[in-house]
Each structure stands twice: as structure tokens, then as C-alpha cells.
Amino acid sequence: MSSTDREQWATRIGFILAAVGSAVGLGNIWRFPFQVGQEGGAAFLVVYLAFIILIGLPAILVEFVIGRRSERNPIDAFERLGYRAWTIAGLLGVLGGFIIMSFYSVVAGWVTRYTLASATGAYFAEPAEYFMDIAAGTDALLFHLLFMGLTAIIVGLGIQRGIEMAVKLLVPALVALMVLLIVYGFTLDGAVQGYAYYLSPEPGAIAANWTSILPAAAGQAFFTLSLGMGIMITYASYIDDERSLVGDGAWIVGLDTAIAIMAGLMIFPVLFTIGVEPGAGGAGELFIGVGGAIAGLPGSRIIGVLFFGTVLVAALSSAISLTEVTVSFLIDRFGLDRPVATGIVAGGIFLLGIPTALDLMVLELYDQVTAELFLPLTVFLLVLFVGWFYDEALDEVSKGVSADWLPGAWLWHVRTIILVVIGITLILSIQGLIETLPETIEAIELL
Ligand code: TRP
């Protein structure tokens, strides 16, 4: 397709909702509260919010600039712009996405399981024990297969449009259910403790733990905004030139962040009420926290099915965007048919995910390595490229923007502060991984 007749987003809201559909998923609802719990509560929230605004939003614009200017996917974009060597950044993103998808599917499998288990009330009596029973083993493997199969069918048939439509209806439904659960949490005995833990940082907590909080907050910000994988490059390749990238970016970041904050408000009051210490549940935080809340509500079975069912659709729409990047790469590069490419990718993702379905520690390891290493490294390369090598970034970001000072300020920020902060984050991530790796490997009980 020549650049003039390339398809474009029909409406501004259509693009924003599609990008929000990719961004809102397990990252907001499952991963965010789990990170808050592991990093000690409110101190993490503060650093995370600062990171989202100061780094996440400008970094989304970096992907938008590459995407709209090249009108290509992340692998072909650099060649099209005349910088072939940078293709390596696109490849790294695709690889990271492939690994993320392998455990994302296992977590989405848990969600599938909980949708069914809500109907029978299986986890109501003992939310924490139930999670530990089903999180790893044959059951988890089976639901991983099921979810990956479902994703593959949708991507293989090329029918993601239908899902995107469903997401537009379900995001509001999800928000409504979350509001309900938040209001319920407010009435619980543990509410005050829960809010204090989540919202009020202890003095000195950030300074004392910043070397682990910063890489965790950065990883969470990239993960939740679908950054570092070229998803936003691909979406932006369809935005027309009159539109302000800055305005669209702000909407996407704002909606995504609001949903994450709500997930925390929903979960922490419950954890304190049922006596589960935040962080102790690890990757189970969402299931234990919300499971406990739902169990206490009238009409709990229906609410449970609706809640986990909507989370499942949100997870599916994100999973599609993750899988699609690798599939379209195989189609474009090697001329494979869509069903064949999808079969190869889905099969590979399933196999790679098997260890994460058998042991929670492995899942947390995959998760940490991708979020804290692959994503920031890819974003670092993209920021370096746009800030220092690509001459036309300023021109691209200025389109449709009325505040004259803004594009220049953005570019300066990208070239200096963002590059330095992500650079420091990467060093801390690598240090942290080296320190914890031996312990983690020892704790793995696969064999
Ligand atoms: N952002 C999604 C979530 O929060 C997950 C996701 C979709 C993602 N595409 C991505 C994460 C690309 C990293 C990179 O659930």
C-alpha cells in the first residue's frame, strides 16, 4: 500500500480506544497490585506515578513518532526511515513480547479458571489457599493451553476487530464492577489500614528502598502502557497527520493509570480484612484480594463471574496485541500464511510458558526479566534513536500541537532526563537480577 492510501483511524476516539484496549489488561489489574505489595505499598505508588508522568507519557510519544512517520511495523519502521541498523531495537521488542506472552497466557488461564470457579463459589471459603492450589501444576497448564488456543484462533482468523468492539463495551463494565468492589472495600474493617498502606508513604521509605523501587516502577510503567514492544509504533502508523500525538498520548496514559489505581483501592482493604499481608500473596494478590471481597458480597457468584469474565476479555485484547506483533513479523518477513504463522507463534509461546505454569517462582522470574530488562532496554534504544539520531522527530511531534514550546521541551527531555533515568534504571535492574538470581533458581522446584 502506498502511503497515501494507507488505512487510517476513522475517528480519534477509535484510535484511543484501540490503544487503551491494548494497554488495559492484566498489567493494570493483576500486575500492578502485585508490584505494590512486593515493593512495600505507598512508596511504590508515588515513584510509579512520577515515572508514568515524567517518563511514560513522553516515551509513548517516542513510539508514536516512529510509527506515524514510518507508517510501518516496528521491524520495518527503521529501514523505512533510512536507519537500518536500528532494526535491532524492533527485534528486541518482538522477542520481549514473545516471552511476556508466554506467562501472560498462564495468568490469563488463572482468570479463566476463576471465572468458572466463581459460578460454583469454589474459592469463597479460603481465597488464599485456593489460589495456591490452582496456580501451578496440571490445572494451570490446561488453562494456559485453553487461553493460548483462544488467542490463536482470533489472531489466526484475523478477527481482532470483533474483540476490539467488545472491549469498548467491556471497559466501562469493568470500571463499574471495580467501583462496586471499591465501595464494598470501604465498608470493611481493614479499610483504614488498607488505604494507609496503599496511599500514605512512610517518611524515608522511598529513600531507603529506591534501588529496588525504581526498576520495579519503571518495569510496571512500560508493561502497563504496552511500551517497549512496538505496539504503539504499529498503532500510530495509522494516525493521520493533523492530529496531536501529545493529546492522544495523554488520554491513553490517563485512562490506563486510573484503572490501575482503582485496582489497588479494590484490593488492599480486603487483604487487611482477611488478614493476608500484602506482598505475601505474590502473584496471587489480585485473586486473593478480589476473591475475598467477592465472597463477602450478596450475589457473590454472579458478581464473580462478571468480574473475572470482564478481566478475561481485557486480557484477551492485550494478548492479541502481544501475539499479533510476532505473527505479522513472520508474515511480512517470511511470506508465511496467517494461519501458519499463528500456529508457529502460538505453539512456541505455549511451550515457552510451560515452566511458568508449573512453578510460581519461574513465572515471577520470567515476569521480572522481561519487565525490568527487555522493556527498558528496548525503550532506551528507541529514546536514544529519536533523541539523538533521527532528525525529523521534532517536525513530527509538532504536527497539530498549538503550544509552540511543547515539542522543543519534549525533545530536550527525551535527549537528557529520560535517557539518564532509564539508563540508571537499567543498571539497577541488572544489579538486582544478579543479586536475586541465585536465590530464585534455588527456590525453583520444577524437577
Ligand atoms: N499493557 C498490557 C497490560 O497492561 C499488556 C501488553 C500488551 C503489553 N501489549 C504489550 C506489555 C506490549 C508490554 C508490551 O496488560
Side-chain angles (χ1 to χ4, degrees):
M1 220 188 272
S2 82
S3 67
T4 41
D5 53 12
R6 188 176 164 89
E7 222 185 306
Q8 296 194 324
W9 298 97
T11 58
R12 171 164 192 210
I13 195 78
F15 161 66
I16 292 177
L17 285 174
V20 168
S22 160
V24 173
L26 297 175
N28 312 59
I29 300 165
W30 160 72
R31 198 176 189 282
F32 173 75
F34 150 46
Q35 295 297 308
V36 173
Q38 275 190 341
E39 298 298 330
F44 175 84
L45 182 66
V46 172
V47 179
Y48 169 75
L49 288 177
F51 203 94
I52 285 278
I53 295 166
L54 297 176
I55 313 288
L57 178 57
I60 249 192
L61 295 180
V62 166
E63 289 205 14
F64 282 177
V65 162
I66 299 173
R68 185 161 72 178
R69 195 67 166 211
S70 67
E71 302 188 312
R72 287 295 179 278
N73 65 56
I75 307 281
D76 297 322
F78 298 95
E79 203 165 326
R80 165 78 192 245
L81 297 176
Y83 298 83
R84 196 154 173 230
W86 290 87
T87 301
I88 189 89
L91 284 168
L92 195 66
V94 170
L95 181 64
F98 188 80
I99 309 175
I100 289 181
M101 191 48 211
S102 74
F103 69 85
Y104 202 87
S105 168
V106 173
V107 178
W110 299 340
V111 177
T112 315
R113 169 79 187 233
Y114 267 73
T115 310
L116 303 176
S118 298
T120 62
Y123 58 82
F124 291 176
E126 293 183 290
E129 287 74 9
Y130 184 84
F131 176 76
M132 290 305 167
D133 279 349
I134 63 104
T138 352
D139 283 32
L141 202 57
L142 216 72
F143 280 95
H144 167 44
L145 184 64
L146 191 73
F147 183 82
M148 200 55 236
L150 194 59
T151 308
I153 290 171
I154 296 167
V155 174
L157 295 175
I159 49 174
Q160 25 273 57
R161 284 272 158 119
I163 294 296
E164 279 173 16
M165 304 264 287
V167 170
K168 286 171 200 172
L169 296 174
L170 278 152
V171 169
L174 179 64
V175 170
L177 284 164
M178 290 174 87
V179 169
L180 176 80
L181 292 166
I182 290 170
V183 171
Y184 171 69
F186 181 75
T187 67
L188 296 174
D189 293 340
V192 174
Q193 266 176 299
Y195 298 142
Y197 173 82
Y198 180 44
L199 300 173
S200 140
E202 280 167 34
I206 297 175
N209 298 313
W210 72 278
T211 55
S212 98
I213 293 180
L214 183 63
Q220 176 58 24
F222 297 145
F223 192 101
T224 191
L225 296 177
S226 302
L227 281 176
M229 241 199 79
I231 299 252
M232 293 299 166
I233 293 183
T234 314
Y235 280 164
S237 68
Y238 301 99
I239 312 179
D240 73 51
D241 271 356
E242 279 79 59
R243 285 250 303 279
S244 150
L245 296 176
V246 182
D248 285 5
W251 265 105
I252 294 160
V253 170
L255 287 171
D256 185 79
T257 306
I259 292 182
I261 291 176
M262 289 176 72
L265 288 175
M266 178 172 82
I267 288 165
F268 293 110
V270 185
L271 290 182
F272 281 93
T273 305
I274 63 177
V276 173
E277 203 183 312
E285 208 100 298
L286 165 76
F287 299 92
I288 299 168
V290 174
I294 288 171
L297 284 169
S300 49
R301 295 182 186 202
I302 295 171
I303 294 175
V305 172
L306 288 176
F307 177 79
F308 285 109
T310 30
V311 174
L312 185 60
V313 180
L316 195 59
S317 70
S318 302
I320 289 166
S321 79
L322 279 159
T323 310
E324 178 67 27
V325 174
T326 322
V327 169
S328 50
F329 166 66
L330 291 187
I331 295 173
D332 293 349
R333 267 296 147 111
F334 302 107
L336 297 182
D337 284 341
R338 175 166 280 272
V340 176
T342 310
I344 295 173
V345 172
I349 291 173
F350 173 72
L351 293 178
L352 189 64
I354 290 178
T356 71
L358 297 179
D359 189 327
L360 268 182
M361 292 296 289
V362 180
L363 188 136
E364 290 182 17
L365 181 67
Y366 272 47
D367 174 87
Q368 191 185 354
V369 170
T370 45
E372 297 189 16
L373 204 60
F374 279 82
L375 299 183
L377 192 57
T378 307
V379 178
F380 184 82
L381 292 175
L382 297 179
V383 166
L384 190 65
F385 172 69
V386 165
W388 292 96
F389 293 88
Y390 183 53
D391 299 331
E392 282 151 70
L394 197 57
D395 178 51
E396 190 59 44
V397 92
S398 304
K399 290 177 183 163
V401 174
S402 47
D404 306 343
W405 57 273
L406 200 66
W410 168 80
L411 188 62
W412 180 86
H413 186 65
V414 166
R415 303 181 105 172
T416 54
I417 297 186
I418 297 196
L419 210 55
V420 172
V421 172
I422 301 182
I424 295 173
T425 303
L426 267 171
I427 295 170
L428 292 173
S429 295
I430 294 169
Q431 268 179 351
L433 279 167
I434 292 174
E435 265 169 38
T436 55
L437 211 55
E439 273 173 59
T440 313
I441 290 176
E442 203 145 307
I444 292 173
E445 293 169 359
L446 267 189
L447 304 173

